[in-house]
Amino acid sequence: MRAFYKGGFQPEMNRREAALILGVRESAPEEKVKEAHRRIMIANHPDAGGSSFIAAKVNEAKDMLLGKKTGGSSIF
Amino acid sequence: MAAKIIANLLVAGGTVLFRAASQAYRQAIVNGTRAGMTAEGVQQAAKSAKQLTLREAEMILGVESGSSWQDVMKKYEHLMQANEKNGSFYLQSKVYSSYSNLQSKVYRAKERLEQEFQEQGLPTDGPEGGQQQQQQSGGQ
């Protein structure tokens, strides 16, 4: 059994963490990212007893992985 | 005879590994600083990555600071199950870390409170363990 990652989330998300959150590779194709996001969001939906903090992180992870992919607008 | 040698080797090996690890950690910070992270940023990252704050643990599990331990357990079990089936290992880790962090903090707080209560000669069986408000309502 793998050892759990320690500690909390990174204070600022990066691509690596985003990929870990969604359980995909950083280089995963868009459809995979979207599918992982959908599946994980459903599991962690706040309305279904999940935590909104985690849900926000999952969303942020998707945006991060997809945003960079399409070379979209920088968030800065 | 052989056991002693092996034990020595293990200790030596462990020490080397530990030193290597702390050196690597320091080097990582230096590299990070070169990459533009400030000292606070690094400390934040180190703190967040290594030490989960109480507030973040509560946020991750989705509990309020006044929640009972039962609520915490319920959220923990629900989140662990949900992410076991359809989440990522990373998320499971975060849920688990939060839970064990809250558990140790709650237990420590409870112990401290019980100690204080005992010193003051008050009963320690009550369900109100959480808050730090000292409501001296005269016991009963």
Side-chain angles (χ1 to χ4, degrees), chain B residues 102-115:
Chain B
L102 280 183
Q103 184 179 45
S104 69
K105 293 223 160 100
V106 165
Y107 280 175
R108 268 191 245 138
K110 183 167 168 265
E111 276 171 12
R112 205 164 23 98
L113 277 175
E114 278 184 346
Q115 202 181 15

Side-chain angles (χ1 to χ4, degrees), chain A residues 10-11, chain B residues 28-43 45-46:
Chain A
Q10 299 296 314
Chain B
I29 292 187
V30 170
N31 290 343
T33 321
R34 279 206 214 110
M37 294 167 76
T38 63
E40 297 106 45
V42 166
Q43 271 205 336

Side-chain angles (χ1 to χ4, degrees), chain B residues 15-68:
Chain B
T15 325
V16 168
L17 276 176
F18 179 73
R19 236 179 265 139
S22 32
Q23 254 200 348
Y25 179 68
R26 253 176 267 134
Q27 187 61 30
I29 292 187
V30 170
N31 290 343
T33 321
R34 279 206 214 110
M37 294 167 76
T38 63
E40 297 106 45
V42 166
Q43 271 205 336
Q44 271 283 8
K47 254 207 303 194
S48 183
K50 297 222 151 176
Q51 251 206 329
L52 191 46
T53 65
L54 182 62
R55 230 185 83 234
E56 185 175 359
E58 287 170 345
M59 287 202 288
I60 288 176
L61 287 180
V63 297
E64 322 257 312
S65 41
S67 302
S68 70

Side-chain angles (χ1 to χ4, degrees), chain A residues 8-54:
Chain A
F9 288 97
Q10 299 296 314
E12 250 183 60
M13 189 176 294
N14 52 30
R15 280 182 67 86
R16 180 174 176 267
E17 191 185 30
L20 283 171
I21 287 175
L22 294 181
V24 298
R25 293 185 167 171
E26 284 184 53
S27 53
E30 184 166 326
E31 314 89 56
K32 254 211 161 174
V33 173
K34 284 190 175 164
E35 185 273 333
H37 168 259
R38 216 181 126 259
R39 184 174 30 95
I40 297 184
M41 251 330 245
I42 293 178
N44 283 289
H45 206 278
D47 294 342
S51 123
S52 32
F53 185 71
I54 292 187

